[in-house]
Amino acid sequence: MAASKGYKDAVCKFAKICKYDSYLLKLYKDELIHDFKLAIENGSKEAMYDYGKLLYKGTIENKNTDKACYYFKNAADFGHVKAMSQLHNERCCFLL
């Protein structure tokens, strides 16, 4: 998919579409997770934040607050403002 071709923020846009279409999410779940991880490895703060949101809500995998907070923290460290806010709002203060 997109992230494997170097379009690291495209995966975030696709994830936002899948969020509203459960059929697409089921169909592309494994590829979406793979592309998120590639985008994160390439330093996409948007991917870190969006993947954290999906983990927090249990949309893409089983709900995992600790793992979600880890990704929020990484995105915040890269200067992602919404991730900084999320850290304070979602009881992720153990990471601060």
Side-chain angles (χ1 to χ4, degrees):
M1 285 179 66
S4 60
K5 293 185 170 101
Y7 305 106
K8 60 185 179 180
D9 289 330
V11 69
C12 299
K13 291 179 181 12
F14 185 67
K16 289 174 184 174
I17 293 167
C18 288
K19 182 170 69 172
Y20 299 106
D21 189 329
S22 59
Y23 174 75
L24 278 178
L25 184 60
K26 286 180 185 178
L27 189 62
Y28 293 107
K29 178 183 170 188
D30 293 336
E31 292 163 20
L32 195 56
I33 291 170
H34 175 263
D35 281 358
F36 261 118
K37 290 181 179 180
L38 275 177
I40 289 166
E41 286 175 14
N42 286 307
S44 171
K45 62 186 176 185
E46 193 68 30
M48 294 172 199
Y49 173 70
D50 285 344
Y51 190 58
K53 283 192 335 186
L54 293 172
L55 289 169
Y56 186 80
K57 294 178 181 179
T59 305
I60 200 164
E61 294 181 10
N62 291 333
K63 184 174 180 172
N64 188 332
T65 306
D66 292 341
K67 201 172 177 182
C69 289
Y70 169 82
Y71 286 105
F72 292 149
K73 172 81 167 85
N74 286 339
D77 289 346
F78 277 98
H80 195 284
V81 177
K82 287 182 182 177
M84 293 175 196
S85 175
Q86 196 78 26
L87 279 171
H88 293 286
N89 293 338
E90 302 301 343
R91 302 179 190 205
C92 297
C93 53
F94 63 90
L95 292 170
L96 299 175

